Structures are given as C-alpha cells and as structure tokens.
Coordinates of all heavy atoms in Angstrom, one line a residue:
S1089 N -4.6 16.4 30.4 CA -3.6 17.2 29.8 C -3.1 16.5 28.6 O -3.0 15.3 28.5 CB -2.5 17.5 30.8 OG -1.8 16.3 31.2
G1090 N -2.7 17.3 27.6 CA -2.1 16.7 26.4 C -2.5 17.6 25.2 O -3.6 18.2 25.2
R1091 N -1.6 17.7 24.3 CA -1.8 18.6 23.1 C -3.0 18.2 22.3 O -3.6 19.1 21.7 CB -0.5 18.6 22.3 CG 0.7 19.2 22.9 CD 2.0 19.0 22.1 NE 1.8 19.5 20.7 CZ 2.0 20.8 20.4 NH1 2.4 21.7 21.3 NH2 1.9 21.1 19.1
T1092 N -3.3 17.0 22.2 CA -4.4 16.5 21.4 C -5.6 16.0 22.1 O -6.3 15.1 21.6 CB -3.9 15.5 20.3 OG1 -3.4 14.3 21.0 CG2 -2.8 16.1 19.4
F1093 N -5.8 16.5 23.4 CA -6.8 16.0 24.2 C -8.2 16.1 23.5 O -9.0 15.1 23.6 CB -6.9 16.7 25.5 CG -8.1 16.4 26.3 CD1 -8.2 15.3 27.1 CD2 -9.2 17.3 26.4 CE1 -9.3 15.0 27.8 CE2 -10.3 17.1 27.1 CZ -10.4 15.9 27.9
I1094 N -8.4 17.1 22.8 CA -9.7 17.3 22.1 C -10.0 16.3 21.1 O -11.2 16.0 20.8 CB -9.8 18.7 21.5 CG1 -11.3 19.1 21.1 CG2 -8.9 18.8 20.3 CD1 -11.4 20.5 20.7
S1095 N -9.0 15.6 20.6 CA -9.2 14.6 19.6 C -9.6 13.2 20.1 O -10.0 12.3 19.4 CB -7.9 14.4 18.8 OG -7.5 15.6 18.1
Y1096 N -9.6 13.1 21.4 CA -9.9 11.8 22.1 C -11.3 11.7 22.6 O -11.9 12.6 23.1 CB -9.0 11.6 23.3 CG -7.6 11.2 22.9 CD1 -6.7 12.2 22.6 CD2 -7.2 9.9 22.8 CE1 -5.4 11.9 22.2 CE2 -5.8 9.6 22.5 CZ -5.0 10.6 22.2 OH -3.7 10.3 21.8
A1097 N -11.9 10.5 22.4 CA -13.1 10.1 23.1 C -12.7 9.8 24.5 O -11.6 9.4 24.8 CB -13.8 8.9 22.4
L1098 N -13.7 9.9 25.4 CA -13.5 9.7 26.8 C -14.5 8.7 27.4 O -15.6 8.7 26.9 CB -13.5 11.0 27.6 CG -12.5 12.1 27.2 CD1 -12.8 13.4 27.8 CD2 -11.1 11.6 27.7
G1099 N -14.1 8.0 28.4 CA -15.0 7.0 29.0 C -14.7 6.9 30.5 O -13.7 7.3 31.0
W1100 N -15.7 6.5 31.1 CA -15.7 6.1 32.6 C -15.9 4.6 32.7 O -16.8 4.1 32.2 CB -16.7 6.9 33.4 CG -16.4 8.3 33.6 CD1 -16.9 9.4 32.9 CD2 -15.6 8.9 34.7 NE1 -16.4 10.6 33.4 CE2 -15.6 10.3 34.5 CE3 -14.8 8.3 35.7 CZ2 -14.9 11.1 35.4 CZ3 -14.1 9.1 36.5 CH2 -14.2 10.5 36.4
F1101 N -15.0 4.0 33.5 CA -15.1 2.6 33.9 C -15.1 2.5 35.4 O -14.6 3.4 36.1 CB -13.9 1.8 33.3 CG -14.0 1.7 31.8 CD1 -13.6 2.8 31.0 CD2 -14.4 0.5 31.2 CE1 -13.7 2.7 29.6 CE2 -14.5 0.4 29.8 CZ -14.1 1.5 29.0
R1102 N -15.5 1.4 35.9 CA -15.5 1.1 37.3 C -15.1 -0.3 37.6 O -15.4 -1.2 36.7 CB -16.8 1.5 38.0 CG -18.0 0.6 37.6 CD -19.3 1.1 38.2 NE -20.4 0.3 37.9 CZ -21.7 0.6 38.2 NH1 -21.9 1.8 38.9 NH2 -22.7 -0.2 37.9
Q1103 N -14.6 -0.6 38.7 CA -14.2 -1.9 39.1 C -14.5 -2.1 40.6 O -14.0 -1.4 41.5 CB -12.7 -2.2 38.9 CG -12.3 -3.7 39.2 CD -11.0 -4.0 38.6 OE1 -10.2 -3.1 38.3 NE2 -10.7 -5.3 38.5
A1104 N -15.5 -3.0 40.9 CA -15.9 -3.3 42.3 C -15.0 -4.4 42.8 O -14.4 -5.2 42.0 CB -17.3 -3.7 42.3
P1105 N -14.9 -4.5 44.1 CA -14.1 -5.6 44.7 C -14.6 -7.0 44.2 O -15.7 -7.3 44.2 CB -14.4 -5.5 46.2 CG -14.7 -4.0 46.4 CD -15.5 -3.7 45.2
G1106 N -13.6 -7.8 43.7 CA -13.9 -9.1 43.2 C -14.5 -9.2 41.9 O -14.9 -10.3 41.4
K1107 N -14.6 -8.0 41.2 CA -15.2 -8.0 39.9 C -14.2 -7.4 38.9 O -13.3 -6.7 39.2 CB -16.5 -7.2 39.9 CG -17.6 -7.9 40.7 CD -18.9 -7.1 40.6 CE -20.0 -7.7 41.4 NZ -21.3 -6.9 41.3
G1108 N -14.5 -7.6 37.6 CA -13.7 -7.1 36.5 C -14.1 -5.6 36.2 O -15.1 -5.1 36.8
R1109 N -13.3 -5.0 35.4 CA -13.6 -3.6 35.0 C -14.8 -3.6 34.1 O -15.0 -4.4 33.2 CB -12.4 -3.1 34.2 CG -12.5 -1.6 33.8 CD -11.2 -1.1 33.3 NE -10.3 -0.9 34.4 CZ -9.0 -0.7 34.2 NH1 -8.5 -0.7 33.0 NH2 -8.2 -0.5 35.3
E1110 N -15.7 -2.6 34.5 CA -17.0 -2.5 33.8 C -17.1 -1.1 33.2 O -16.8 -0.1 33.8 CB -18.1 -2.7 34.8 CG -19.5 -2.5 34.3 CD -20.6 -2.5 35.4 OE1 -20.2 -2.3 36.6 OE2 -21.7 -2.7 35.1
F1111 N -17.6 -1.1 32.0 CA -17.9 0.2 31.3 C -19.1 0.9 31.9 O -20.1 0.2 32.2 CB -18.2 -0.1 29.8 CG -18.7 1.1 29.1 CD1 -17.8 2.1 28.7 CD2 -20.0 1.3 28.8 CE1 -18.3 3.3 28.0 CE2 -20.5 2.4 28.1 CZ -19.6 3.4 27.7
V1112 N -19.0 2.2 32.1 CA -20.0 3.0 32.7 C -20.6 3.9 31.7 O -21.8 3.9 31.5 CB -19.5 3.8 33.9 CG1 -20.6 4.6 34.5 CG2 -19.0 2.8 35.0
A1113 N -19.8 4.8 31.1 CA -20.3 5.8 30.1 C -19.2 6.2 29.2 O -18.0 6.2 29.6 CB -20.9 7.0 30.9
G1114 N -19.5 6.7 28.0 CA -18.5 7.2 27.1 C -19.1 8.4 26.4 O -20.3 8.6 26.3
I1115 N -18.2 9.2 25.8 CA -18.5 10.4 25.1 C -17.6 10.7 24.0 O -16.4 10.5 24.1 CB -18.6 11.6 26.1 CG1 -19.2 12.9 25.4 CG2 -17.3 12.0 26.7 CD1 -19.6 14.0 26.4
S1116 N -18.1 11.1 22.8 CA -17.2 11.4 21.7 C -16.4 12.6 21.9 O -16.6 13.4 22.9 CB -18.1 11.6 20.4 OG -19.0 12.7 20.6
W1117 N -15.5 12.9 21.0 CA -14.5 14.0 21.2 C -15.2 15.3 21.2 O -14.7 16.2 21.9 CB -13.5 13.9 20.0 CG -14.0 14.3 18.7 CD1 -14.5 13.5 17.8 CD2 -14.0 15.6 18.1 NE1 -14.9 14.2 16.6 CE2 -14.6 15.5 16.9 CE3 -13.6 16.9 18.6 CZ2 -14.8 16.6 16.0 CZ3 -13.8 18.0 17.8 CH2 -14.3 17.9 16.5
N1118 N -16.3 15.5 20.5 CA -17.0 16.8 20.5 C -18.2 16.8 21.4 O -18.9 17.8 21.4 CB -17.4 17.1 19.1 CG -18.4 16.2 18.5 OD1 -18.7 15.2 19.1 ND2 -18.8 16.4 17.2
G1119 N -18.4 15.7 22.1 CA -19.5 15.6 23.1 C -20.9 15.4 22.4 O -21.9 15.3 23.1
G1120 N -20.9 15.1 21.1 CA -22.1 14.9 20.4 C -22.8 13.6 20.6 O -24.0 13.4 20.3
V1121 N -22.0 12.6 21.0 CA -22.5 11.2 21.1 C -22.1 10.7 22.5 O -21.0 10.8 22.9 CB -21.9 10.3 20.0 CG1 -22.4 8.9 20.2 CG2 -22.2 10.8 18.6
T1122 N -23.1 10.1 23.2 CA -22.8 9.5 24.5 C -23.4 8.1 24.5 O -24.3 7.8 23.8 CB -23.5 10.3 25.6 OG1 -24.9 10.5 25.4 CG2 -22.9 11.7 25.7
Y1123 N -22.7 7.3 25.4 CA -23.2 5.9 25.6 C -23.2 5.6 27.0 O -22.4 6.1 27.8 CB -22.2 4.9 24.9 CG -22.1 5.1 23.4 CD1 -21.1 5.9 22.8 CD2 -23.0 4.5 22.5 CE1 -21.0 6.1 21.4 CE2 -23.0 4.7 21.1 CZ -21.9 5.5 20.6 OH -21.8 5.6 19.2
Y1124 N -24.1 4.7 27.4 CA -24.2 4.4 28.8 C -24.4 2.9 29.0 O -25.1 2.2 28.2 CB -25.4 5.1 29.5 CG -25.2 6.6 29.6 CD1 -25.7 7.4 28.6 CD2 -24.5 7.2 30.6 CE1 -25.6 8.8 28.6 CE2 -24.3 8.6 30.7 CZ -24.9 9.3 29.7 OH -24.7 10.7 29.7
A1125 N -23.9 2.3 30.0 CA -24.2 1.0 30.4 C -25.7 0.9 30.9 O -26.2 1.9 31.4 CB -23.3 0.4 31.5
D1126 N -26.3 -0.2 30.6 CA -27.7 -0.3 31.0 C -27.9 -0.1 32.5 O -29.0 0.4 32.9 CB -28.3 -1.7 30.6 CG -28.5 -1.8 29.1 OD1 -28.6 -0.8 28.4 OD2 -28.6 -3.0 28.6
S1127 N -27.0 -0.5 33.3 CA -27.1 -0.4 34.7 C -27.1 1.0 35.2 O -27.6 1.2 36.4 CB -25.9 -1.2 35.4 OG -24.7 -0.7 35.0
V1128 N -26.7 2.0 34.4 CA -26.6 3.4 34.9 C -27.5 4.3 34.1 O -27.6 5.5 34.4 CB -25.2 3.9 35.0 CG1 -24.3 2.9 35.8 CG2 -24.6 4.1 33.6
K1129 N -28.1 3.8 33.1 CA -29.0 4.7 32.2 C -30.1 5.3 33.1 O -30.7 4.7 33.9 CB -29.6 3.9 31.1 CG -28.7 3.6 30.0 CD -29.4 2.8 28.8 CE -28.5 2.6 27.7 NZ -29.2 1.8 26.6
G1130 N -30.2 6.6 32.9 CA -31.2 7.4 33.6 C -30.8 7.9 34.9 O -31.4 8.7 35.6
R1131 N -29.6 7.4 35.4 CA -29.1 7.8 36.7 C -27.8 8.6 36.6 O -27.5 9.5 37.3 CB -28.8 6.6 37.6 CG -30.1 5.8 37.9 CD -29.8 4.8 39.0 NE -28.8 3.8 38.6 CZ -27.7 3.6 39.3 NH1 -27.4 4.3 40.4 NH2 -26.9 2.7 38.9
F1132 N -26.9 8.2 35.6 CA -25.6 8.8 35.4 C -25.6 9.6 34.1 O -26.3 9.3 33.1 CB -24.5 7.8 35.3 CG -24.2 7.0 36.6 CD1 -25.0 7.2 37.7 CD2 -23.1 6.2 36.6 CE1 -24.7 6.5 38.9 CE2 -22.8 5.5 37.8 CZ -23.6 5.6 38.9
T1133 N -24.8 10.7 34.1 CA -24.7 11.6 32.9 C -23.2 11.9 32.7 O -22.6 12.4 33.6 CB -25.5 12.9 33.0 OG1 -26.9 12.6 33.3 CG2 -25.4 13.7 31.8
I1134 N -22.7 11.7 31.5 CA -21.4 12.0 31.2 C -21.4 13.3 30.4 O -22.2 13.5 29.5 CB -20.7 10.9 30.4 CG1 -19.2 11.2 30.2 CG2 -21.3 10.6 29.1 CD1 -18.3 10.0 29.7

C-alpha cells in the first residue's frame, strides 16, 4: 500500500536460521527487468 507504490522496485530476500539476509529476486517498477540469485535461477520467478 502507498500512493507511490508503482514507482518502487521490489525485491524478495530470505534469512535462514544462523545465516544473514540473502537476496533472492528483484523486479523493476514496471516489471521489465528482473534479477535472481544464482541459487534460485531457473526455479523461482518474480
């Protein structure tokens, strides 16, 4: 929610027990560009 939500890029991160926060996937504000961590490429889709 938010008046300018569409202006924001979005990302997913994860944190496993005993580990730091890890980037998983990201997407640009218009959905035209996506990025994935090597560990999830081919398996996850944002």
Side-chain angles (χ1 to χ4, degrees):
S1089 62
R1091 290 172 58 85
T1092 59
F1093 171 77
I1094 193 173
S1095 299
Y1096 286 84
L1098 297 168
W1100 284 97
F1101 291 77
R1102 66 187 183 186
Q1103 187 166 16
K1107 297 183 179 180
R1109 182 169 289 167
E1110 176 189 21
F1111 171 77
V1112 177
I1115 188 168
S1116 61
W1117 71 271
N1118 63 359
V1121 181
T1122 58
Y1123 300 97
Y1124 296 94
D1126 288 341
S1127 60
V1128 306
K1129 283 182 179 178
R1131 299 190 298 121
F1132 292 8
T1133 303
I1134 187 171

